[in-house]
Amino acid sequence: MQLKCVSMLKHLRGQGRHIKPASAVFTSRFSSTASNPNIVSHELLEGTSNEAPILLAHGVLGNRRNFNILAKKLAKETQRSIITYDARNHGNSFHSDIMGLEDLSKDAINLLDELKVEKCVFIGHSMGGRTALYTALSYPNRIEKLISVDSSPGAINGSNFTERGSILSYVEAMQNVNWDSANTLSRARNTADEQLTNAVPNLSVRQFILTNVEESSPSNYKWRVNLDAIQRHLQCTHQIFDKNNSKTFDGKTLFLGGGLSNYIRYEDYPNIRRLFPNCNITHIPDSGHWVHSEKPKEFLSAVTSFLGPEEINLF
């Protein structure tokens, strides 16, 4: 006999039980930007469930606001607490010349410690996905479940794996933007838009990048993100994912790629399954790299299904 029952599963595991209330999905919001300079800027939707919170990690050039809509929908669907944060060198978080995966991972762990979260469901996109993968391999006791969104550890000989696609070329183009003729924030964004057109032909991607333009002082403009540190990060190798690494994460894992993207490739599958033996790999059709924004309904369905009740054999 098989039953789909989250509360019974939790009870059998000694985790306590949760009865889904009909009232509010989350009870409060908490935001932090600079109260602790060593903690990344973050926001919490405090849910009513006692299940592990969901930690959302954005990709390169993004910030926690990329997940505003998704966070609210996940809170409504799961009633879990939802944590979003700005990675170092992004959004309102601190800048640092050091930006290895181990640093990004430690930032996530420090944030969990700050919020007194013992375990989380870690969902990361692109750079955030690699951060989640690294964290799961390095701190497996802190991760209940793992979702890597259009991000892969690379092939089994992937010690030289670096950023796929055009994001590195976008960063290089951003470094060459000249704002000398701009005297308003609107004009600064238009100026950057014009100068990025050749390197970033996709209008929606360009608009996403332009959210990083800010006024540093009257009539002076700059990128909010630390481009030099990000460029070095995109060019670095990640040895924790190569064939010489014996660490594995045995928790339930989902690799969720875009059907039109090349970030999770067939040749990566053996290495993915070696490092994450309890994984599923799937792609959302007709979606590019930004799966959660290009196909939000399909993405939400895939995530909630993955996090949903498990089949347990009672007899």
Side-chain angles (χ1 to χ4, degrees), residues 82-314:
I82 313 294
I83 306 163
T84 57
Y85 72 95
D86 294 329
R88 63 170 62 198
N89 295 315
H90 292 75
N92 292 322
S93 284
F94 58 85
H95 283 197
S96 172
D97 291 336
I98 302 172
M99 193 177 162
L101 273 185
E102 62 275 19
D103 307 298
L104 296 172
S105 176
K106 189 59 179 174
D107 289 342
I109 293 298
N110 287 342
L111 176 57
L112 295 179
D113 290 343
E114 175 79 3
L115 297 177
K116 296 179 172 55
V117 173
E118 183 179 346
K119 267 191 174 184
C120 74
V121 173
F122 205 158
I123 303 177
H125 169 248
S126 194
M127 176 187 75
R130 287 193 300 280
T131 301
L133 297 177
Y134 187 102
T135 304
L137 293 173
S138 302
Y139 307 93
N141 61 316
R142 305 300 297 271
I143 309 299
E144 180 186 86
K145 295 179 181 178
L146 175 67
I147 302 180
S148 179
V149 183
D150 214 46
S151 187
S152 165
I156 201 163
N157 60 347
S159 59
N160 294 321
F161 173 77
T162 54
E163 186 71 38
R164 291 173 178 163
S166 305
I167 295 179
L168 183 56
S169 66
Y170 298 166
V171 170
E172 292 169 347
M174 291 168 68
Q175 290 172 314
N176 293 321
V177 168
N178 186 313
W179 282 298
D180 286 348
S181 62
N183 52 17
T184 66
L185 182 59
S186 175
R187 181 55 190 159
R189 286 177 175 154
N190 289 337
T191 298
D193 186 36
E194 293 168 3
Q195 295 180 41
L196 291 174
T197 299
N198 290 335
V200 191
N202 187 298
L203 176 60
S204 62
V205 175
R206 243 181 10 260
Q207 290 174 333
F208 166 74
I209 289 173
L210 294 174
T211 62
N212 286 293
V213 178
E214 67 176 7
E215 188 173 32
S216 56
S217 61
S219 298
N220 290 295
Y221 303 93
K222 67 181 182 70
W223 296 109
R224 180 180 292 112
V225 291
N226 184 343
L227 291 176
D228 291 341
I230 291 171
Q231 183 184 44
R232 288 191 294 271
H233 169 79
L234 294 177
Q235 294 172 327
C236 73
T237 59
H238 311 309
Q239 294 182 350
I240 194 169
F241 300 139
D242 70 20
K243 61 184 178 182
N244 296 317
N245 172 50
S246 60
K247 294 181 180 179
T248 62
F249 175 69
D250 298 324
K252 190 176 178 183
T253 303
L254 175 65
F255 284 82
L256 183 59
L260 303 178
S261 173
N262 70 340
Y263 278 70
I264 302 176
R265 301 188 296 200
Y266 182 74
E267 55 263 39
D268 300 343
Y269 286 15
N271 200 33
I272 289 174
R273 292 188 171 117
R274 178 181 69 89
L275 296 169
F276 304 93
N278 188 17
C279 76
N280 288 318
I281 306 171
T282 189
H283 290 75
I284 294 180
D286 301 318
S287 174
H289 181 53
W290 283 272
V291 188
H292 52 289
S293 59
E294 295 178 35
K295 296 289 182 179
K297 291 181 180 179
E298 294 86 346
F299 179 83
L300 182 64
S301 176
V303 170
T304 54
S305 176
F306 175 78
L307 296 179
E310 299 179 36
E311 291 187 350
I312 57 175
N313 195 345
L314 298 181

Side-chain angles (χ1 to χ4, degrees), residues 43 58 62-69 84-86 91-92:
E43 189 168 16
H58 64 79
N63 59 70
R64 71 177 189 267
R65 293 182 179 85
N66 299 152
F67 292 126
N68 278 352
I69 295 175
T84 57
Y85 72 95
D86 294 329
N92 292 322

